[in-house]
Amino acid sequence: MEDDNVVMIDDEDDVYKVTADDEIAAIDFELQKIDEEIDKLKEKRLVLSQRKEKIKDNELLKKSLKTANKNWEKSTFSWSKKLENGLADIFKIKKFREHQLSAMNAVLSGEDTILVMPTGGGKSLCYQLPAVISKGVTVVISPLIALMEDQLYGLKKIGVKSGMMNAKTDKDITKSMMDALEGKNHDIKLIYITPEYMKKSKRFMAKVQKAFNLKLLTMFAIDEVHCCSQWGHDFRPDYQFLSCLKSMFPGVPILGLTATAPAKIISDVQKMLDIQGCLVLRAPFNRPNLFYEVRRKPADKDVCLSMIQNLLKSRFADKSGIIYTTTIKEAEQLTSDLRDKGLKVGCYHAILEPEVRSKIYSRWITGEYQAVVATIAFGLGIDKSDCRFIIHHCISKSMENFYQESGRSGRDGKKAVCIVLYRLADVFRLSPMVIGDKVGLQNLYKTLEYCLDPQTCRRSLIANHFEEKWNKNDCAEMCDHCRCPKKIKETDIGNYCRQIYQIIDKALKTDTNLTLIKLIDAWFSKGTASHRVAAVPVPKFSREAGENIVGFLLINGYLKEDFVFNAYSNLTYLIKGPKAGRAMDKSHKIMFVHDEGLGI
């Protein structure tokens, strides 16, 4: 009786028996080759698409450059004397900073402008001063009420009348704002509003239309303008409502302001706001007084706490700073733990009552608190010039966030320190939070790449991200890599990658989801025995080195996060990445540059 699973192949005089398993294996081999070709074509398509977009964006930037060639710094405009007097008499400032005068002259000339300037560079003055010397009203669109309140407080101190409108604004204040838009209250110079309120309030938009008809609309200032772009790190859908401003109010200049925006986002913002080819002013990103450092974050909570305690009591003794955390719960717990160790710190986050937040902020400003332990919302627009250190208890969600948060130190130009406490496990806590954003995961991996890099100047990594030209001498040993260079080694980790795949394959066969910890445990022959693979040897290097390898494989597409959402939480597991087919080819090298001290 013939076996149904055997196929007879007659090759002239020889007869071969081919089993169904052999045939399936042959088909699987062909399918793998096809998948590899598809991966290569997808990569090529992506590269070509990106190149096409880059060319189109460059054309927009060329138009912007042509506009920038005009001398916007001159002091012969009809309003130049008013600007000088307002700067000295009202704002008590002796001279303009870089690009401030250009931005003011441009918008007062009716020119749409985007100003990219580092945190603490003086962006708000670029619409506040023109508003003060103009007869009309400037509408400032800002994403955070806390940021608006801080600016209103500053304007009130110098006698500039302004106000904010939102759902909770007092009726009398709302009336005074509406009167200003109708020309009945000429004292009000600036009206602050969120894009959400602007979109929802038909009454407000009707009043803005009236101000436009009366020629009382000076400009629209859009703060954090990168939020308009879906490619930005803080995209907010309600910002897209602002795309109607140019068509509804032709001739009214738009001033977009941001501390962080690469060329792609600038081009996207121009298209979205219908101000293509507008004037773009970009201040240098380098903050020469900031020292950048990345430290390995201890897995043990008590060891990590001791590290922070030591920093605050020795290196940063009698100095003021901010410790950033990811969640409210972490901020409260870390504050409690540090207080138990005798440190004077306050906790600041969004759900605290306004009077409590104000009290904590005041105690930090006056020096009663050495540091504020806070979620990332704290510090936006806050100008405490003597903030000497920033500690990130967890890595930031993007390089843009990291740059902004770090930039809240050293605003007085004196030296300040920015330390990131890095641990791979934190990346997997953050990824479910950002997966809903179009480029959230991509942005998070850029920060991971910054932390994993073992040798490149930290400042050059930041400059490259923001497409800034960089000279290696510009750092002047103001980062950990330039001050204390490590011995670097390059290793082909292809074999380690394939060992990890064996662990993942075994887990798949038993419908097991592998978290980072479970994967690392199985690789180092720890944890649940059923997750281990007998054929995979225990690495001779440290667990830290193993985590670095996993991080490198993740950001380079050899591994991938798989997200599972349930009623209680969002979970992430590790699976093979899009480059798995290539990695399975033993001739394919995966070169990993690392600190020689890792022992890989």
Side-chain angles (χ1 to χ4, degrees), residues 233-265:
H233 61 285
D234 281 327
F235 171 62
R236 290 180 54 157
D238 286 305
Y239 262 79
Q240 295 197 317
F241 171 74
L242 307 181
S243 60
C244 70
L245 294 181
K246 279 320 283 185
S247 58
M248 286 182 70
F249 310 107
V252 177
I254 290 176
L255 174 61
L257 308 108
T258 180
T260 51
K264 179 176 182 58
I265 292 173

Side-chain angles (χ1 to χ4, degrees), residues 261-279:
K264 179 176 182 58
I265 292 173
I266 292 294
S267 298
D268 197 37
V269 167
Q270 288 186 42
K271 294 170 195 170
M272 186 273 203
L273 292 174
D274 195 21
I275 54 173
Q276 292 94 326
C278 72
L279 174 64

Side-chain angles (χ1 to χ4, degrees), residues 13-244:
D13 297 332
D14 297 320
V15 177
Y16 300 96
K17 286 185 178 181
V18 179
T19 66
D21 287 343
D22 291 334
E23 194 172 3
I24 289 170
I27 291 170
D28 283 342
F29 179 77
E30 288 298 317
L31 286 172
Q32 183 182 321
K33 290 293 180 186
I34 291 169
D35 286 340
E36 287 176 22
E37 289 301 316
I38 290 171
D39 286 343
K40 288 177 184 176
L41 287 170
K42 281 182 178 177
E43 274 191 53
K44 188 173 181 180
R45 190 181 194 285
L46 179 63
V47 169
L48 288 172
S49 296
Q50 289 174 339
R51 193 166 143 205
K52 178 184 173 183
E53 286 302 310
K54 186 79 173 173
I55 291 168
K56 287 165 72 175
D57 290 347
N58 282 342
E59 288 305 304
L60 269 183
L61 293 174
K62 281 179 186 176
K63 284 181 70 179
S64 296
L65 185 62
K66 188 176 179 181
T67 311
N69 285 334
K70 185 174 178 179
N71 181 13
W72 295 108
E73 284 288 309
K74 65 183 182 180
S75 300
T76 54
F77 291 99
S78 59
W79 52 79
S80 294
K81 196 65 182 173
K82 287 183 180 179
L83 283 178
E84 288 176 20
N85 292 340
L87 184 73
D89 299 340
I90 300 172
F91 289 89
K92 310 298 181 186
I93 297 172
K94 293 180 180 178
K95 62 178 181 179
F96 292 109
R97 296 184 190 179
E98 186 177 14
H99 294 313
Q100 283 183 328
L101 183 58
S102 291
M104 294 180 204
N105 283 332
V107 291
L108 288 170
S109 298
E111 196 76 46
D112 297 317
T113 304
I114 293 177
L115 175 62
V116 186
M117 186 180 281
T119 302
K123 293 184 291 295
S124 58
L125 185 72
C126 297
Y127 54 82
Q128 290 176 350
L129 180 51
V132 168
I133 69 163
S134 302
K135 70 170 185 176
V137 176
T138 289
V139 176
V140 183
I141 301 142
S142 179
L144 289 173
I145 289 174
L147 174 57
M148 293 189 279
E149 286 176 340
D150 191 67
Q151 290 200 21
L152 289 169
Y153 176 74
L155 290 169
K156 186 178 180 180
K157 283 201 299 185
I158 58 173
V160 175
K161 291 195 175 181
S162 54
M164 174 177 66
M165 289 183 64
N166 58 53
K168 296 180 180 179
T169 302
D170 181 84
K171 287 183 180 179
D172 290 338
I173 295 175
T174 298
K175 186 179 184 304
S176 66
M177 299 298 107
M178 295 299 190
D179 285 348
L181 291 169
E182 288 189 292
K184 298 175 183 176
N185 184 347
H186 296 291
D187 292 336
I188 302 291
K189 291 297 180 181
L190 298 108
I191 296 176
Y192 286 78
I193 191 167
T194 64
E196 289 83 2
Y197 185 81
M198 193 174 191
K199 180 182 178 181
K200 290 174 184 174
S201 179
K202 292 178 181 178
R203 183 182 172 216
F204 176 77
M205 289 305 293
K207 297 295 183 184
V208 174
Q209 185 69 57
K210 188 157 190 178
F212 172 72
N213 295 337
L214 293 170
K215 298 188 176 358
L216 291 176
L217 203 52
T218 303
M219 79 169 99
F220 291 104
I222 305 174
D223 208 0
E224 309 297 340
V225 76
H226 61 270
C227 295
C228 291
S229 172
Q230 292 189 55
W231 298 102
H233 61 285
D234 281 327
F235 171 62
R236 290 180 54 157
D238 286 305
Y239 262 79
Q240 295 197 317
F241 171 74
L242 307 181
S243 60
C244 70

Side-chain angles (χ1 to χ4, degrees), residues 290-436:
L290 302 187
F291 182 85
Y292 295 99
E293 178 181 344
V294 176
R295 288 189 176 200
R296 178 81 178 178
K297 181 180 177 180
D300 185 274
K301 177 191 167 184
D302 291 332
V303 176
C304 183
L305 197 61
S306 294
M307 177 193 286
I308 297 171
Q309 177 192 11
N310 185 53
L311 284 169
L312 267 60
K313 286 190 173 180
S314 55
R315 187 173 177 183
F316 303 135
D318 303 318
K319 293 178 181 177
S320 177
I322 304 171
I323 302 171
Y324 280 114
T325 62
T326 305
T327 67
I328 290 170
K329 184 179 178 181
E330 284 177 349
E332 291 177 340
Q333 185 61 56
L334 185 57
T335 301
S336 176
D337 292 340
L338 290 174
R339 283 178 173 174
D340 287 345
K341 291 185 176 290
L343 291 159
K344 292 183 177 179
V345 296
C347 180
Y348 189 106
H349 53 71
I351 68 170
L352 291 173
E353 291 297 323
E355 58 271 18
V356 177
R357 288 205 306 267
S358 179
K359 188 182 292 184
I360 292 164
Y361 172 68
S362 177
R363 287 176 176 173
W364 180 62
I365 288 289
T366 57
E368 186 178 341
Y369 284 152
Q370 180 184 6
V372 172
V373 182
T375 52
I376 59 171
F378 180 76
L380 280 171
I382 290 171
D383 188 11
K384 180 168 167 53
S385 61
D386 65 342
C387 180
R388 297 268 70 87
F389 65 89
I390 302 289
I391 298 174
H392 279 92
H393 188 253
C394 177
I395 73 169
S396 300
K397 294 176 183 176
S398 69
M399 287 299 291
E400 285 83 1
N401 283 127
F402 168 67
Y403 179 78
Q404 279 192 320
E405 291 149 15
S406 300
R408 288 161 194 161
S409 63
R411 289 190 175 193
D412 55 6
K414 297 177 182 178
K415 288 185 178 179
V417 178
C418 309
I419 298 175
V420 177
L421 301 183
Y422 156 72
R423 187 166 160 242
L424 186 59
D426 286 339
V427 174
F428 293 89
R429 289 197 305 115
L430 290 172
S431 55
M433 299 180 193
V434 303
I435 189 61

